[in-house]
Amino acid sequence: MIAIIDYGMGNLRSVQKGFERMGREAVVTRDPKTILDAGKVVLPGVGAFPDCMRNLEEYGLIDAVKQSIRSGKPFLGICLGLQLLFTESEEFGISKGLDIIKGRVIRFKIQDPTFKIPHMGWNSVSIKRRPPVFADVPDGSHVYFVHSFHVVPEDKSVIATTTNYGMDFVSSIWKDNILAVQFHPEKSQALGLSILKRFGEQKA
């Protein structure tokens, strides 16, 4: 069973429906025991970084996230769920993240006014390291983005893909059992569903 962490931010049902379309059972939950008992865990999210961290803490979910990752079970972060894994974000001042991946979340600093912020819509990914979940993702594939901030990992070896939007930025990371993506697989049509399918097939 796949646990989709509900901390009150984002359209969790669309992620759940994506897994269901691929024949995988997925539950939306904020119960720590359900999350710890699940075979796989997804941390999705949209919204403001500090609000999301506050909600994770208020709902008592931070330990469940960290324990799930330490257990070695497959873990997928989506959009803000990628950013929350990092040490800190500069959104609305400096906000502390989960500090699972060392690095920062910073706002796009693009001088060319033709590149609007937020970065919204379809864009391609350049594969630097190919996690098993990306088995069906050709280099240069287009996926769907909505974000104003991007991650800067200290350890460049965790970078799985980059994307260019007036500058190159990290669009996904892969470390051990963690795969986290800046784009929305649940909104990326057949290609995105293939990522959810492969994630659902992973073994701990």
Side-chain angles (χ1 to χ4, degrees):
M1 187 268 292
I2 301 165
I4 301 169
I5 299 175
D6 175 13
Y7 54 101
M9 308 290 283
N11 184 6
L12 307 183
R13 177 60 184 149
S14 64
V15 178
Q16 184 185 33
K17 284 172 63 178
F19 280 114
E20 290 173 348
R21 286 182 64 185
M22 295 294 100
R24 294 287 164 177
E25 179 189 4
V27 298
V28 174
T29 181
R30 61 179 59 159
D31 174 49
K33 185 178 186 305
T34 301
I35 295 165
L36 292 172
D37 288 345
K40 303 171 186 70
V41 174
V42 180
L43 181 64
V46 295
F49 188 103
D51 293 342
C52 292
M53 281 301 300
R54 183 171 57 250
N55 286 7
L56 283 173
E57 187 168 4
E58 286 183 0
Y59 295 141
L61 295 172
I62 289 178
D63 283 346
V65 171
K66 291 185 174 181
Q67 286 184 48
S68 293
I69 290 172
R70 283 197 298 266
S71 75
K73 70 179 71 174
F75 186 94
L76 175 64
I78 298 175
C79 194
L80 196 61
L82 159 68
Q83 297 179 9
L84 293 169
L85 297 174
F86 279 69
T87 306
E88 63 183 22
S89 171
E90 66 177 29
E91 187 173 4
F92 297 113
I94 301 301
S95 300
K96 295 299 182 184
L98 295 169
D99 198 26
I100 292 162
I101 304 293
K102 297 295 182 184
R104 304 186 72 228
V105 183
I106 66 172
R107 187 173 179 84
F108 275 110
K109 298 177 176 68
I110 304 172
Q111 302 303 317
D112 187 340
T114 60
F115 291 93
K116 304 298 184 185
I117 306 299
H119 171 216
M120 183 181 300
W122 295 88
N123 206 337
S124 62
V125 292
S126 175
I127 296 178
K128 308 303 179 185
R129 297 167 59 239
R130 184 182 292 278
V133 172
F134 285 3
D136 303 315
V137 180
D139 192 29
S141 294
H142 281 71
V143 289
Y144 191 81
F145 291 88
V146 183
H147 63 122
S148 300
F149 291 77
H150 64 94
V151 300
V152 182
E154 289 182 8
D155 179 5
K156 304 307 180 189
S157 72
V158 304
I159 298 171
T161 66
T162 60
T163 294
N164 187 275
Y165 187 70
M167 55 170 280
D168 286 332
F169 69 91
V170 176
S171 48
S172 68
I173 61 106
W174 172 36
K175 182 180 181 182
D176 302 325
N177 56 312
I178 301 170
L179 174 68
V181 300
Q182 184 62 68
F183 55 87
H184 288 271
E186 77 281 9
K187 296 180 180 178
S188 298
Q189 299 180 355
L191 187 80
L193 291 177
S194 79
I195 293 172
L196 299 184
K197 179 177 183 289
R198 290 282 187 177
F199 177 78
E201 292 170 349
Q202 280 193 304
K203 305 296 183 185

